[in-house]
Amino acid sequence: MADIPAEGLPPADYAALCDFLRARTGLSFTEAKRYFVDRRIAARMAAVGVATLRDYLNVLRFQASGEELQRLVNLMTVNETYFFREKYQLDCLVRSVLDELARNRRPGSRLRIWSAGCATGEEPYSIAIMLLEQWSRVDEYEIEILASDIDSAVLERAREGIYDERALQGLPAHLRSKYFQPVRGALAADGARWRIIEELRESVDFSLVNIADPRQVQAFRGIDVIFCRNLLIYFDDLGRREAAGMFYDALAPNGFICLGHSESMSRMSSLFVPRRFPDAILYQKPAEGGAS
């Protein structure tokens, strides 16, 4: 039985746990999250069969497979999203940003879009739908949509591409009928379910990535547009600055990053230039030698 007092982890233990999680994942848990964290840690300690936090941290640090750390991360992350969330940024992508990026690209060249913190896949699939529906030059370029998350469980759901009515609440009916198929049988027993069509499932490359680990983000280079919306709110100030630097390195010159509506790059980094478009404010990596 996990040896956690009824009032939760002692302050020193809680601080040690938070320091460990912040160092390994970038996620920051304040005192306000204590009840949330205590319950999940107690459940995992009981499942592993250790009595003290010290023993549990040793499992997290030294388990060769890393399976327990992944299970804990999956419990600690919140993955609530839906299709066409903050649609004004998707409008900005197809009405302004892609045309600007394509201006200096030959037809047939590559455009790379990365959904960082993609959760169950609604964001990258929304991007794919918007490109097909709203960008007239979509067939002229080789477009890669990359999607990543630190939570392995939500990535499996994203690859499966099955959603309930709540996830599709912002999707117009004609797009639902065009890009989704109703799910029947046991999978739909608890309510209406819809599965995104195979062509779209295959258009997104999902991968397990911890953006706080430099080794895991090395493959993300030459990115033209990054969607990182409502992810960095779970980081502390240092973590946000480190993430901003990582995203800067991942972007191609003149590339853009989209943040959540409550986030501002000016509070994290001076590396980016704010760009005001008719639909949204985005942040741009300047071309070599200065801002474009």
Side-chain angles (χ1 to χ4, degrees):
M1 185 70 178
D3 187 18
I4 293 182
E7 64 274 16
L9 290 168
D13 284 357
Y14 185 76
L17 174 66
C18 291
D19 288 346
F20 173 84
L21 289 173
R22 192 255 175 244
R24 288 293 186 94
T25 69
L27 299 173
S28 177
F29 296 97
T30 63
E31 280 292 321
K33 295 282 188 179
R34 248 187 171 285
Y35 180 68
F36 173 90
V37 173
D38 283 340
R39 288 182 61 193
R40 284 154 179 77
I41 289 295
R44 289 313 310 161
M45 288 172 61
V48 172
V50 296
T52 68
L53 181 69
R54 180 178 180 179
D55 289 340
Y56 184 62
L57 286 175
N58 283 336
V59 173
L60 296 178
R61 288 190 179 103
F62 302 119
Q63 185 184 51
S65 66
E67 290 180 5
E68 181 56 29
L69 178 58
Q70 187 63 63
R71 289 191 183 97
L72 180 62
V73 166
N74 291 0
L75 276 179
M76 291 293 194
T77 50
V78 178
N79 301 287
E80 184 175 345
T81 186
Y82 49 87
F83 282 86
F84 283 15
R85 185 177 186 180
E86 296 181 4
K87 184 175 177 291
Y88 62 91
Q89 290 185 335
L90 301 176
D91 291 333
C92 184
L93 176 71
V94 296
R95 294 173 181 171
S96 303
V97 169
L98 289 175
D99 284 336
E100 179 173 319
L101 291 170
R103 197 172 299 144
N104 298 315
R105 308 281 180 94
R106 294 179 180 177
S109 60
R110 186 173 60 175
L111 289 168
R112 307 188 83 198
I113 302 172
W114 177 17
S115 170
C118 68
T120 44
E122 288 91 333
E123 180 174 88
Y125 288 138
S126 294
I127 292 168
I129 291 171
M130 287 292 290
L131 291 174
L132 292 171
E133 291 292 314
Q134 300 290 336
W135 196 44
S136 61
R137 303 185 66 185
V138 65
D139 292 327
E140 298 178 30
Y141 295 89
E142 179 188 345
I143 299 173
E144 291 186 6
I145 301 177
L146 310 174
S148 68
D149 204 278
I150 196 173
D151 185 331
S152 59
V154 297
L155 285 172
E156 286 304 309
R157 290 169 57 192
R159 293 186 183 103
E160 191 175 39
I162 296 176
Y163 301 96
D164 59 18
E165 289 285 345
R166 187 180 183 284
L168 273 64
Q169 63 184 338
L171 199 67
H174 72 282
L175 295 182
R176 180 187 299 207
S177 62
K178 184 174 183 178
Y179 293 109
F180 292 80
Q181 298 168 334
V183 174
R184 309 193 187 282
L187 286 174
D190 57 347
R193 295 289 183 94
W194 302 77
R195 189 175 197 187
I196 200 159
I197 60 173
E198 183 178 3
E199 290 83 353
L200 282 189
R201 296 200 306 274
E202 292 179 349
S203 73
V204 179
D205 182 8
F206 291 99
S207 56
L208 183 67
V209 174
N210 174 4
I211 66 169
D213 185 341
R215 297 168 300 175
Q216 295 188 32
V217 296
Q218 282 299 314
F220 293 84
R221 291 293 183 268
I223 306 296
D224 293 297
V225 184
I226 297 173
F227 283 80
C228 179
R229 304 189 294 180
N230 306 306
L231 170 61
L232 299 182
I233 59 175
Y234 299 104
F235 287 33
D236 60 17
D237 289 342
L238 176 59
R240 283 189 281 268
R241 289 195 296 272
E242 291 172 344
M246 180 276 296
F247 286 132
Y248 183 89
D249 292 339
L251 281 169
N254 291 322
F256 294 90
I257 184 166
C258 307
L259 299 178
H261 72 276
S262 64
E263 301 169 298
S264 172
M265 184 60 76
S266 63
R267 300 172 188 169
M268 307 178 203
S269 171
S270 60
L271 293 171
F272 297 86
V273 177
R275 290 287 308 279
R276 184 180 294 275
F277 292 98
D279 296 294
I281 297 174
L282 275 60
Y283 300 91
Q284 187 172 33
K285 176 179 179 175
E288 299 298 332
S292 61

